[in-house]
Amino acid sequence: MKRRVWIAAVASAASLWMAHGVAHADQVEAIKKKGELVVGVLGTDEPMSFIDPKTRELVGYDVDLGRAVAEKLGVKPVFKQITIAARIPELQQGHIDLLAASLTHNKEREAQIDFSLTTFVTGTKVLVRKNSGINDVPELAGKRVVTAKGSSMEVNMRKAVPTANIITFDTSPQAFVALQQGKAVGYVNEDASLARSLNQIGDKRNDYKILPTNLATEPLALGIKKGEANLKKVVDEALRELEASGKAEALYEQWFGQQSALKMPKREFKIETDKID
């Protein structure tokens, strides 16, 4: 009788191990089995990810990185548009396999998810109207400032100017419209996104200026479900291959550099590490 109880206990333990151990560690095989990699993207953050007005397809820097990972896995990339606030919950709940959504890698988020090698480095700044009388970030104390809900920009602004009245929107474009409508004095976003927003408004861009102080310099990366070491290994290998082949540099030039509408300076980073300060 005792022997039967012992065998049953061992079988039960083995079953739990299979459910929580092997299944958990085998996301790569699960992705290959279904034949697709579901990639979460914003779709509202040109040139990271946005909908091409001609083709109605999702395109951009993050989208191309997602495609590279899918190619490495030998599966079809499927892009799912998500909001900034829903990025991490969507990944944690298994609704997506990979986050390619303008995602800042920071220490706080490391407790929630894992990160790939750094794929982009950006600065967080504030855009204001030239006639606002605001010349630098500290002068935003007590003023209304807009940004995207659940973003690192919101966190950085609160740290920089605790007394600022921060109003958040579901997307960055919505926040920028609020600035244009005079509903706020400042608009917080990454420098590349601010450059894009100014390009989109043509000659009216001359009515605005970017304040000189950097709220933060942020590494962006792809997000991976916590503990999925096998998937992280594949993702990082795909990114290292992009860097080694020169394709990473070409993607930067296409979406941010002199070939793009943004015409940002030459890339000063490489895709080579997942370490952050």
Side-chain angles (χ1 to χ4, degrees):
M1 180 67 179
K2 288 183 179 180
R3 178 176 174 80
R4 285 200 298 270
V5 171
W6 180 81
I7 291 173
V10 170
S12 176
S15 177
L16 287 172
W17 182 80
M18 288 292 288
H20 299 287
V22 173
H24 176 74
D26 209 18
Q27 190 181 8
V28 170
E29 291 305 314
I31 291 168
K32 289 182 176 180
K33 185 176 181 179
K34 68 181 177 180
E36 62 183 34
L37 176 75
V38 181
V39 184
V41 297
L42 296 182
T44 57
D45 190 21
E46 185 178 354
M48 300 301 284
S49 63
F50 63 103
I51 298 176
D52 187 313
K54 294 180 180 179
T55 65
R56 306 307 301 167
E57 297 288 331
L58 283 162
V59 296
Y61 184 77
D62 273 343
V63 174
D64 286 341
L65 296 182
R67 291 188 190 282
V69 174
E71 183 178 350
K72 179 71 175 176
L73 286 162
V75 299
K76 174 185 176 182
V78 175
F79 296 98
K80 179 180 180 181
Q81 201 167 344
I82 55 179
T83 65
I84 289 177
R87 289 177 299 186
I88 291 176
E90 286 279 305
L91 184 66
Q92 291 175 321
Q93 293 164 19
H95 298 156
I96 56 177
D97 302 313
L98 184 71
L99 267 178
S102 306
L103 185 69
T104 299
H105 179 179
N106 57 38
K107 293 294 185 182
E108 291 77 12
R109 286 176 176 163
E110 284 183 349
Q112 300 174 294
I113 63 173
D114 290 333
F115 291 87
S116 71
L117 304 176
T118 295
T119 58
F120 196 84
V121 177
T122 185
T124 300
K125 292 195 173 184
V126 184
L127 182 71
V128 299
R129 285 187 177 274
K130 286 182 178 178
N131 62 6
S132 66
I134 303 295
N135 295 307
D136 211 348
V137 171
E139 297 169 35
L140 292 168
K143 302 291 194 303
R144 298 180 79 180
V145 178
V146 291
T147 191
K149 184 188 302 181
S151 67
S152 59
M153 287 88 73
E154 178 184 354
V155 174
N156 292 332
M157 187 65 209
R158 292 190 191 282
K159 287 180 180 178
V161 188
T163 60
N165 180 12
I166 301 174
I167 302 166
T168 61
F169 293 81
D170 287 338
T171 68
S172 293
Q174 289 172 345
F176 182 45
V177 169
L179 175 70
Q180 293 173 281
Q181 293 174 340
K183 296 178 180 178
V185 174
Y187 164 49
V188 186
N189 208 335
E190 297 158 354
D191 48 13
S193 295
L194 292 178
R196 176 209 68 210
S197 296
L198 290 173
N199 277 339
Q200 289 176 337
I201 59 175
D203 292 340
K204 290 183 179 179
R205 64 174 296 147
N206 297 321
D207 297 336
Y208 298 86
K209 65 181 180 181
I210 297 175
L211 300 181
T213 297
N214 229 354
L215 300 185
T217 299
E218 300 185 335
L220 306 186
L222 304 181
I224 302 159
K225 195 172 183 180
K226 195 72 179 174
E228 294 293 349
N230 288 344
L231 182 57
K232 174 173 166 55
K233 181 180 178 182
V234 174
V235 171
D236 287 350
E237 286 175 354
L239 295 174
R240 285 193 177 95
E241 288 170 7
L242 285 180
E243 186 64 49
S245 68
K247 290 181 180 178
E249 178 74 25
L251 287 177
Y252 176 90
E253 285 299 320
Q254 176 185 350
W255 296 112
F256 301 96
Q258 296 305 303
Q259 298 178 33
S260 74
L262 299 185
K263 300 193 182 304
M264 290 178 64
K266 189 174 179 63
R267 188 178 70 147
E268 295 183 353
F269 65 90
K270 288 186 177 182
I271 300 177
E272 58 186 355
T273 181
D274 60 1
K275 307 303 179 187
I276 61 172
D277 295 330

